[in-house]
Amino acid sequence: MDLQNLDSIKAALEETGFGVNAPLLLLLVLILLTFCCFHPSGPSWLLGLGPILSYGRFLWMGIGTASNYYNERYGDMTRVWIQGEETLILSKASAVYHVLKSSNYIARFGSKRGLQCIGMHEQGVIFNSNILHWKRMRAYFAKALTGPGLQRTVGVSVSATNKHLDVLHDLTDSSGHVNVLDLLRCIMVDISNRLFLRIPINEKELLQKIHKYFDTWQTVLIQPDIFFRLDWVYRKYRQSAKELQEEMGNLVEQKRKVINAMEKLDETDFATELLFAQDHGELSMDDVRQCVLEMVIAAPDTLSISVFFMLVLLKQNPAVEQRMVQEIQTVLGNTLQIKLLSNVGIFSVSKSCAHFHSLISSQTQLQRALCSSQVPSRFFQPFGCGPRSCVGKHIAMVMMKGILVTLLSRYTVCPRSGCTVSTIEQNNNLSQQPVETDPYNLSMRFIPHRQICNL
Ligand code: HEM
């Protein structure tokens, strides 16, 4: 703030009859100074070029990488422009935590045309910014992802993992390396289907469609309107979104037929609840399809990446892996008992729960060792927090543990030599994930424990 401004404020005060009221003036100066000091820095306006350049950077680099770039360059609270709107980019853990947990943080940004393309504009839950509608949708998700649904998850996760480990050769190359990310995605989509939809699916085909949908989601989210008018560019993305939506529409219709053919409904699930709500006029057909779509895509893209990084990290921390395997062997005895878990007897559940608790402590220690010791643990929020936090956070933990315990009880997993979290090339747009153009570096050897013992 310069002296000229101070003089004009003084003159304005005199003109309005306040006179030179020293305490008032001092207070005003203090307020303005505070505002100047705490006003976030960022790229300059540059006759309107600044907003265009910063928006361009977000489109070109992807949301995550561009955010990191601005925070590194201008500090952990930076002002930029996205689609002409002033936007704050925060990287300080305490500030992020403060914003996320605020009851005012209930909407997400995205271009209207982009969200319409992927069916998320005022529909489903993930990017639904129609607050009343989002609240209603979130309730269906919350119901399916907690309570009895959560209890079934242990058995389903263990049995789906075992099923896919039994046919590991499907994803093994000639050098004996497994495409772990694909394996985990297959497991995840199987678990999601068994829990929320319960219809026969072609996992690989569905995963391909999910992959293309996710790519479209990342591409269109903050595009300007002109992008959607360039048919030769946009056509491909519109088509990818439509393919998954149509597939989900078909699966939902199949589900309806199954329900109609049933004499008595023993057990309900997410899709059934939605279809009933549609029958009662509470939800539209598009709502049902979009909610099922979001539920089915939520886990493969988040959990498979998380478990993949856990496996890499475990190899970087062999002592932790060894302790976990010992715990697994002590608690579960042998792999046969793990297979028994798929039947989810009360005895097996309590055993596995006991183990899960000890596993949490190992993981937390691993996390602590790897995260900066300066950051208090409450600021570590992989699932976000507050009203818009991950509605699947509890089930995600159960699924991850179910998969990890089953996997580690049968195999030790070896990434290629030199493959560590810091050497893996990563993308950071909507979420942080390994670059998969060359799956060679990301594949791992699965060595059965029996084989190690015999070595
Ligand atoms: C390791 C696994 C997962 C991670 C790291 C993760 C992380 C997140 C994060 C960071 C958010 C946004 C939170 C915010 O804005 O504050 C979110 C939202 C969400 N997650 Fe997850 N998630 C995971 C697994 C899952 C699973 C398994 C499901 C469901 C089956 C799920 C369903 C959702 C949904 C529906 C939302 C949107 C909630 C809303 O907008 O109201 N997530 N997740």
Side-chain angles (χ1 to χ4, degrees):
M1 192 180 61
D2 55 27
L3 281 174
Q4 231 178 339
N5 281 347
L6 270 181
D7 284 345
S8 50
I9 292 168
K10 207 171 124 189
L13 282 171
E14 275 170 356
E15 234 172 67
T16 50
F18 282 103
V20 191
N21 186 334
L24 183 68
L25 190 61
L26 195 67
L27 184 69
L28 202 68
V29 170
L30 272 176
I31 292 173
L32 285 172
L33 275 176
T34 315
F35 177 74
C36 290
C37 288
F38 291 107
H39 192 269
S41 56
S44 53
W45 169 258
L46 257 181
L47 300 170
L49 256 179
I52 295 172
L53 289 177
S54 74
Y55 182 28
R57 190 174 287 282
F58 273 86
L59 290 174
W60 166 51
M61 283 183 155
I63 297 172
T65 312
S67 301
N68 290 345
Y69 166 85
Y70 281 115
N71 282 141
E72 269 159 34
R73 189 152 177 189
Y74 297 99
D76 47 26
M77 203 187 272
T78 303
R79 181 268 295 113
V80 294
W81 293 268
I82 299 179
Q83 292 190 296
E85 279 188 45
E86 273 200 313
T87 308
L88 278 189
I89 309 291
L90 306 178
S91 66
K92 194 174 178 170
S94 54
V96 174
Y97 175 69
H98 183 77
V99 171
L100 290 184
K101 76 175 177 34
S102 153
S103 56
N104 295 324
Y105 172 66
I106 37 177
R108 299 208 160 91
F109 71 86
S111 96
K112 185 175 166 186
R113 297 284 308 266
L115 291 175
Q116 277 170 340
C117 166
I118 50 175
M120 288 191 182
H121 177 66
E122 305 203 344
Q123 260 178 24
V125 69
I126 303 178
F127 267 84
N128 191 342
S129 289
N130 175 332
I131 302 308
L132 281 179
H133 197 207
W134 159 72
K135 273 193 182 151
R136 279 204 303 135
M137 295 300 164
R138 189 162 163 121
Y140 289 100
F141 280 79
K143 186 172 175 195
L145 296 168
T146 51
L150 199 59
Q151 280 162 24
R152 283 182 52 220
T153 309
V154 181
V156 167
S157 304
V158 171
S159 109
T161 310
N162 272 324
K163 181 185 123 189
H164 287 85
L165 288 177
D166 289 344
V167 286
L168 205 53
H169 51 83
D170 277 2
L171 292 166
T172 307
D173 66 16
S174 51
S175 69
H177 287 78
V178 178
N179 185 330
V180 189
L181 277 163
D182 277 357
L183 168 71
L184 292 169
R185 287 192 187 108
C186 286
I187 295 174
M188 282 319 311
V189 91
D190 186 18
I191 297 176
S192 300
N193 180 38
R194 291 195 205 190
L195 287 174
F196 310 123
L197 190 56
R198 297 196 288 167
I199 284 289
I201 53 165
N202 180 333
E203 276 165 23
K204 292 212 173 99
E205 248 180 49
L206 187 58
L207 277 168
Q208 265 171 10
K209 288 180 183 161
I210 292 177
H211 177 76
K212 279 160 73 186
Y213 180 88
F214 195 75
D215 187 40
T216 295
W217 182 1
Q218 295 203 127
T219 308
V220 300
L221 187 63
I222 55 168
Q223 290 290 350
D225 281 357
I226 177 105
F227 175 88
F228 302 95
R229 286 196 210 111
L230 302 173
D231 195 53
W232 50 279
V233 186
Y234 175 47
R235 199 183 313 138
K236 166 179 143 195
Y237 296 105
R238 190 182 46 211
Q239 188 54 30
S240 299
K242 233 170 102 185
E243 267 178 25
L244 186 64
Q245 287 164 336
E246 281 175 3
E247 178 70 29
M248 286 300 157
N250 293 338
L251 293 176
V252 169
E253 272 321 300
Q254 276 182 51
K255 177 74 184 177
R256 184 181 284 286
K257 282 189 192 136
V258 170
I259 298 173
N260 290 345
M262 275 174 158
E263 276 178 17
K264 190 168 155 264
L265 202 66
D266 293 326
E267 209 178 6
T268 178
D269 55 39
F270 181 63
T272 309
E273 296 271 343
L274 293 175
L275 284 167
F276 281 172
Q278 185 191 343
D279 290 345
H280 288 97
E282 289 161 24
L283 296 179
S284 70
M285 203 173 77
D286 286 350
D287 277 330
V288 175
R289 192 197 55 206
Q290 186 61 24
C291 284
V292 172
L293 184 154
E294 291 182 12
M295 189 62 120
V296 172
I297 64 169
D301 266 309
T302 49
L303 275 167
S304 43
I305 308 284
S306 307
V307 177
F308 169 81
F309 279 121
M310 276 183 210
L311 291 173
V312 178
L313 281 170
L314 279 176
K315 265 291 159 298
Q316 290 177 233
N317 296 268
V320 178
E321 186 190 2
Q322 206 183 347
R323 250 200 2 258
M324 279 173 66
V325 173
Q326 268 166 8
E327 279 181 37
I328 291 171
Q329 281 163 354
T330 314
V331 177
L332 297 172
N334 55 41
T335 48
L336 189 70
Q337 272 174 312
I338 288 205
K339 281 191 175 157
L340 284 175
L341 277 179
S342 52
N343 299 327
V344 202
I346 290 179
F347 177 66
S348 351
V349 170
S350 60
K351 265 194 159 189
S352 59
C353 285
H355 173 67
F356 288 162
H357 288 139
S358 48
L359 191 65
I360 296 176
S361 65
S362 311
Q363 278 179 15
T364 317
Q365 280 156 22
L366 179 64
Q367 240 166 44
R368 286 223 187 98
L370 297 167
C371 292
S372 157
S373 54
Q374 309 302 318
V375 181
S377 58
R378 71 177 182 285
F379 295 150
F380 178 65
Q381 295 288 345
F383 297 104
C385 56
R388 204 88 207 207
S389 68
C390 177
V391 64
K393 62 185 160 200
H394 300 298
I395 212 164
M397 292 301 281
V398 176
M399 287 174 179
M400 282 193 287
K401 289 168 202 164
I403 297 169
L404 255 188
V405 169
T406 312
L407 219 159
L408 295 178
S409 69
R410 293 178 62 174
Y411 295 95
T412 185
V413 179
C414 300
R416 288 188 188 268
S417 92
C419 172
T420 62
V421 170
S422 47
T423 59
I424 293 172
E425 201 191 333
Q426 292 176 38
N427 261 335
N428 192 356
N429 192 348
L430 258 183
S431 64
Q432 194 171 352
Q433 40 187 287
V435 175
E436 286 179 72
T437 37
D438 182 9
Y440 175 88
N441 290 326
L442 305 179
S443 56
M444 300 180 190
R445 259 174 6 110
F446 278 48
I447 308 172
H449 283 307
R450 257 178 297 115
Q451 210 165 309
I452 301 175
C453 297
N454 294 338
L455 282 178

